[in-house]
Amino acid sequence: MTKTFTAAQLGQLIASETLSPDSARLRIKNFVAKGYIVTRQRSDSDGRGTLLFSIGDALTAAVLSRMVDLGGLSKAAMQAAATRLQAWKTDSRNPARAEVGPDLPHPPAESPALRLWEEYEAAPDFHVSLHLRWAEKRGAVNCGAYLSLGDGEYYGRAPDVEPMADLLVPVTPLFPELAARIDRMGKAH
């Protein structure tokens, strides 16, 4: 059975000493309103259609919350990170660059973030980092994001351009913290 969480539960998962559960819940709602976290499910049983979020969404929320705690990065940086964590890359012009499709050996999880969680559950010594890269392209500064896995694999490899700036957000420390909170949450119900 797939675990799902309400916005309030997601808030409890990302709350910290400096971020109360209520503030974290509002942060989640803000992420959803801005389109950083994709809403894929609604509850059928509560009559209100409460939004439900996956473990991948919880990981995305934790990473984005960490970025906000770093000083509220630009909208472009938040969107690049959210898109990298929430959406698989498809490339109809160059199928070899696609991350999902009929020619790939395994069906994808709903999102790269959920795939990362599955990798962590399979091997808890799993390492991953989110990289944000600002680069000039055709006279404009663009922000892109990619994930680097400890084994040299990448999701959304950064373009081979000289970066103007890079930011590394370690994701690995979030896994055991989230896993413990999810476990405690399950035991409380």
Side-chain angles (χ1 to χ4, degrees):
M1 185 168 112
T2 305
K3 294 178 185 165
T4 57
F5 309 95
T6 64
Q9 290 171 321
L10 223 52
Q12 291 173 354
L13 292 175
I14 69 164
S16 66
E17 290 179 14
T18 59
L19 183 67
S20 72
D22 283 340
S23 294
R25 182 183 54 79
L26 292 174
R27 189 175 277 185
I28 297 296
K29 288 186 174 203
N30 190 24
F31 292 160
V32 170
K34 291 183 176 189
Y36 298 155
I37 297 179
V38 178
T39 55
R40 296 181 176 93
Q41 296 179 322
R42 289 189 175 270
S43 173
D44 294 331
S45 62
D46 73 355
R48 299 179 305 157
T50 300
L51 294 175
L52 298 175
F53 301 93
S54 70
I55 292 175
D57 297 331
L59 179 60
T60 300
V63 171
L64 295 176
S65 186
R66 179 78 40 102
M67 290 173 60
V68 169
D69 293 343
L70 287 172
L73 297 171
S74 70
K75 181 178 179 179
M78 294 294 288
Q79 187 64 60
T83 299
R84 180 64 279 173
L85 290 162
Q86 291 277 288
W88 290 106
K89 183 177 182 176
T90 59
D91 193 336
S92 59
R93 291 175 292 170
N94 185 356
R97 293 183 57 196
E99 294 172 338
V100 295
D103 299 332
L104 295 176
H106 48 74
E110 74 177 12
S111 68
L114 186 56
R115 169 60 54 80
L116 294 175
W117 187 266
E118 292 169 351
E119 296 279 346
Y120 166 73
E121 285 186 320
D125 60 344
F126 177 69
H127 294 280
V128 64
S129 297
L130 173 72
H131 299 257
L132 294 168
R133 173 169 283 182
W134 288 264
E136 186 176 352
K137 185 176 182 181
R138 294 186 211 119
V141 176
N142 296 309
C143 182
Y146 65 97
L147 293 159
S148 65
L149 286 58
D151 61 3
E153 185 180 351
Y154 294 90
Y155 290 155
R157 184 75 173 136
D160 292 329
V161 295
E162 186 66 30
M164 297 173 72
D166 273 321
L167 174 68
L168 176 80
V169 181
V171 178
T172 303
L174 299 174
F175 289 115
E177 185 178 311
L178 279 174
R181 289 178 180 199
I182 290 168
D183 187 51
R184 281 193 304 270
M185 189 178 284
K187 289 179 181 173
H189 291 86

